[in-house]
Amino acid sequence: MKTKRKFLLYDRAILFALQDAGVKLRKSDVSWFYTSFSPEIYYVCENNTFTLHHKKEDLIREALKFKISKDDFSEAKADMQGEMVQKCRYGFANSQADFHLEIYSSRLSTLITLVANFKSEEASKKFDFIKTFGEHEFLDISDDFRYKTRYLARFGKPCEKLNYGFAKSVFEKFDDMKFQIPPYADSAQSAGVIFAKIYSQILKSHDEYMGAKDEEALHKFRIAMRKMRVMVKFFAPLFAPKITDEILTHLKNIVGKTNQMRDIEVFSKFLVQNSAPAHFGAQMNTLGRSINERTKRALSDAEFDKFRAKFEDFLKNLGGIYLSPEYEKIAKKFISNRLNKALKALRGVIGELNEKSEIAKFHDARIYLKKVRYELEFCARIYESARISEAYKQVKIAQESFGALQDVSIWQNFIAMYQKASDKNDESFKYLLALNNELIAKTKSLKSEILDHKDEFLKSIKKAIAKIKIYR
């Protein structure tokens, strides 16, 4: 038994009881932040006394302490990692131990702990909380690492168990709501809420598209299916590989059957904007109707029914038979590890792009961008960090340029196909030749736009990686 114990309190009743009993309390206001978690380097302000602490990473964890000035403390904030921990500390003692009642504020408000430093292991072992303080609700958290200051600074306040069923029902009713994952929520349950949210969007847009020719509904369906594919891959380590592999195969096959329809819609709109010959536009409309009928048949076949059955079974059992026996339970830690790898990979592919890069390299980078965008869409809010928000913003901006470049490639492929089938003296051939020349110039312009923005983008990603690494 250690000589130091910590208890979680559910309200301030002990403080009021101590004050009513006339116990002399030593009050101090404490602000505490880290500039490094490994080794631990942190700054403390207690009643306008400023100190720097350094805990060496060795067997005896030697702690060094230095008195510093207010200016030193203020300047160090620029290098702060995680969040500042602020609390009001009330010190008092009895024959058993020295106590510190700590009432946290700011982002940790409602967190109240009682720390007891006993004079011996025997005194610690014999301590009876109720006999000393009465019938107050408490929980012994002496061995719960989540309540250590270095974890509070990184992850915030430990929360109660995520109510998965309630969260799922909310998103089924309000599918435009954003899901903010509690830092200490179970990672598998958090994944379940995200899956349920996207799945409701898949079913809604699927039904809208099948009910009528609705280009917007098909677009929403494709996005929801792609999001699901990305997020299932992201959370896959939490679950049995067999089930996630089956689901990913269904998702890939179904999305693949919608690609032609999307491409023809994009090209048709492009032709209208660029005053294509009337007969050429009519050909595209005929082709579009044919592909639309084929797409609807594809989305009503056995493949989609198998996906629905498999996925609904997965949602029902993801916390049971499909859960990996060994998985990272803390959502923020799991997400941080996954996002760290994803952002590093994105930084690598974007960093390799230059003026001589083939167009295929830009398309590969676009795939990474889309993947990271969806991951950040669902996971960025867990950090409440300006750096992560800025990275998400930069990813969305970059995806617009890369997406435009992809569309140009699709248009050029269609043009090449129709040029082969056209007479070189035909009006359509001449139109397509002039249009292709414009697209060549457009490709060059978009590549330049992407490369001009590259340095700013990479700086943003680098800052986000540095922030996320803290929570791994």
Side-chain angles (χ1 to χ4, degrees):
M1 176 69 69
K2 298 178 181 178
T3 58
K4 182 177 179 178
R5 295 175 68 183
K6 182 181 283 191
F7 305 91
L8 176 66
L9 307 181
Y10 290 86
D11 55 37
R12 302 186 181 204
I14 286 180
L15 174 61
F16 302 142
L18 291 170
Q19 290 171 336
D20 291 342
V23 175
K24 187 177 181 180
L25 301 173
R26 304 182 305 274
K27 181 182 177 183
S28 57
D29 293 311
V30 181
S31 296
W32 184 320
F33 67 87
Y34 287 80
T35 56
S36 171
F37 289 107
S38 182
E40 287 182 51
I41 300 174
Y42 55 95
Y43 291 74
V44 178
C45 169
E46 184 169 0
N47 285 349
N48 291 317
T49 297
F50 303 91
T51 50
L52 163 63
H53 303 251
H54 183 181
K55 283 190 177 179
K56 293 185 177 180
E57 293 294 317
D58 53 28
L59 293 177
I60 59 173
R61 281 179 62 80
E62 181 184 2
L64 305 177
K65 179 179 177 179
F66 308 94
K67 191 171 182 179
I68 60 174
S69 69
K70 182 178 180 180
D71 289 341
D72 292 333
F73 183 86
S74 298
E75 289 173 9
K77 288 180 184 177
D79 298 317
M80 180 170 61
Q81 294 190 2
E83 305 290 339
M84 183 176 290
V85 174
Q86 295 175 295
K87 58 190 173 183
C88 187
R89 176 184 287 161
Y90 296 88
F92 61 99
N94 64 11
S95 59
Q96 299 168 296
D98 288 322
F99 296 95
H100 289 105
L101 177 63
E102 300 184 322
I103 299 176
Y104 291 78
S105 57
S106 190
R107 287 188 60 217
L108 298 172
S109 61
T110 73
L111 177 61
I112 304 172
T113 62
L114 179 70
V115 180
N117 290 294
F118 296 92
K119 295 173 182 177
S120 67
E121 289 188 17
E122 187 66 20
S124 174
K125 187 176 181 179
K126 290 182 177 180
F127 177 70
D128 188 317
F129 187 96
I130 294 176
K131 280 185 179 180
T132 304
F133 295 108
E135 295 286 346
H136 297 286
E137 286 192 76
F138 74 95
L139 180 68
D140 192 327
I141 55 171
S142 302
D143 297 318
D144 193 333
F145 67 91
R146 299 177 303 166
Y147 292 90
K148 293 183 181 296
T149 307
R150 62 182 180 273
Y151 284 92
L152 293 174
R154 279 190 285 181
F155 300 121
K157 181 173 58 182
C159 66
E160 295 179 359
K161 187 176 180 181
L162 174 67
N163 188 332
Y164 166 72
F166 175 74
K168 179 176 177 290
S169 68
V170 169
F171 290 120
E172 286 174 346
K173 293 177 183 176
F174 308 101
D175 62 4
D176 58 337
M177 286 185 67
K178 303 296 183 184
F179 175 45
Q180 184 168 345
I181 304 171
Y184 275 105
D186 181 271
S187 53
Q189 282 202 327
S190 299
V193 176
I194 290 172
F195 294 158
K197 176 175 171 55
I198 302 173
Y199 186 60
S200 67
Q201 295 171 340
I202 287 173
L203 296 184
K204 181 180 178 181
S205 54
H206 174 269
D207 291 346
E208 287 176 355
Y209 175 65
M210 297 301 289
K213 184 183 181 300
D214 186 340
E215 294 177 3
E216 186 61 26
L218 179 62
H219 179 61
K220 289 179 180 178
F221 175 78
R222 284 171 50 83
I223 290 176
M225 292 290 283
R226 289 182 182 278
K227 282 182 181 179
M228 184 68 87
R229 192 175 172 195
V230 167
M231 298 315 294
V232 169
K233 285 182 179 179
F234 185 80
F235 286 105
L238 301 175
F239 307 103
K242 183 179 179 181
I243 184 69
T244 52
D245 288 348
E246 285 185 50
I247 289 169
L248 289 170
T249 298
H250 284 309
L251 289 167
K252 181 180 179 181
N253 291 341
I254 294 167
V255 171
K257 293 173 181 177
T258 68
N259 287 340
Q260 266 196 316
M261 189 64 211
R262 187 267 178 189
D263 291 347
I264 200 72
E265 286 173 356
V266 170
F267 188 54
S268 295
K269 288 179 181 178
F270 173 69
L271 290 175
V272 170
Q273 292 169 355
N274 287 272
S275 304
H279 72 280
F280 194 55
Q283 290 177 12
M284 297 304 297
N285 288 334
T286 301
L287 179 61
R289 285 193 294 272
S290 173
I291 293 175
N292 180 58
E293 290 172 6
R294 192 189 315 158
T295 302
K296 285 196 170 186
R297 286 196 300 272
L299 294 185
S300 61
D301 67 8
E303 179 85 46
F304 192 74
D305 290 338
K306 287 178 183 177
F307 161 71
R308 290 181 67 159
K310 181 65 66 176
F311 200 79
E312 286 172 8
D313 177 61
F314 177 51
L315 281 179
K316 188 166 68 174
N317 294 291
L318 57 75
I321 61 174
Y322 295 129
L323 188 62
S324 174
E326 294 183 5
Y327 71 98
E328 174 52 60
K329 290 182 172 61
I330 299 175
K332 197 165 190 176
K333 189 173 181 181
F334 174 82
I335 288 169
S336 296
N337 276 300
R338 301 291 285 168
L339 275 181
N340 183 62
K341 292 178 182 178
L343 288 171
K344 282 185 175 179
L346 176 61
R347 184 177 63 178
V349 295
I350 297 291
E352 290 176 357
L353 296 177
N354 56 54
E355 295 83 356
K356 296 181 180 179
S357 297
E358 297 291 332
I359 200 71
K361 290 287 186 182
F362 285 84
H363 294 332
D364 290 342
R366 181 186 63 85
I367 293 170
Y368 275 91
L369 272 169
K370 185 178 291 187
K371 171 179 174 292
V372 171
R373 176 178 178 174
Y374 294 152
E375 291 169 352
L376 287 173
E377 177 183 330
F378 287 100
C379 300
R381 293 178 189 83
I382 201 171
Y383 300 100
E384 295 183 0
S385 165
R387 286 186 180 185
I388 311 301
S389 298
E390 178 60 24
Y392 181 35
K393 175 184 173 184
Q394 291 295 331
V395 167
K396 289 200 293 183
I397 291 172
Q399 194 187 343
E400 292 296 323
S401 299
F402 279 87
L405 190 61
Q406 167 72 358
D407 286 341
V408 169
S409 294
I410 291 171
W411 300 334
Q412 287 181 307
N413 289 337
F414 273 115
I415 288 171
M417 179 179 68
Y418 278 93
Q419 279 182 318
K420 286 180 181 179
S422 301
D423 185 330
K424 290 187 178 181
N425 296 315
D426 185 73
E427 177 188 0
S428 295
F429 185 89
K430 294 177 182 178
Y431 167 77
L432 292 173
L433 183 63
L435 192 56
N436 193 50
N437 288 334
E438 289 182 22
L439 292 179
I440 291 171
K442 181 67 174 176
T443 297
K444 185 176 180 180
S445 173
L446 286 169
K447 287 175 69 174
S448 295
E449 181 181 313
I450 289 168
L451 295 174
D452 288 345
H453 187 65
K454 175 180 165 181
D455 287 344
E456 182 182 354
F457 178 85
L458 292 177
K459 284 179 183 177
S460 175
I461 298 300
K462 183 179 179 181
K463 288 180 180 179
I465 290 172
K467 183 72 173 179
I468 287 172
K469 281 174 66 178
I470 296 169
Y471 301 96
R472 292 169 56 206

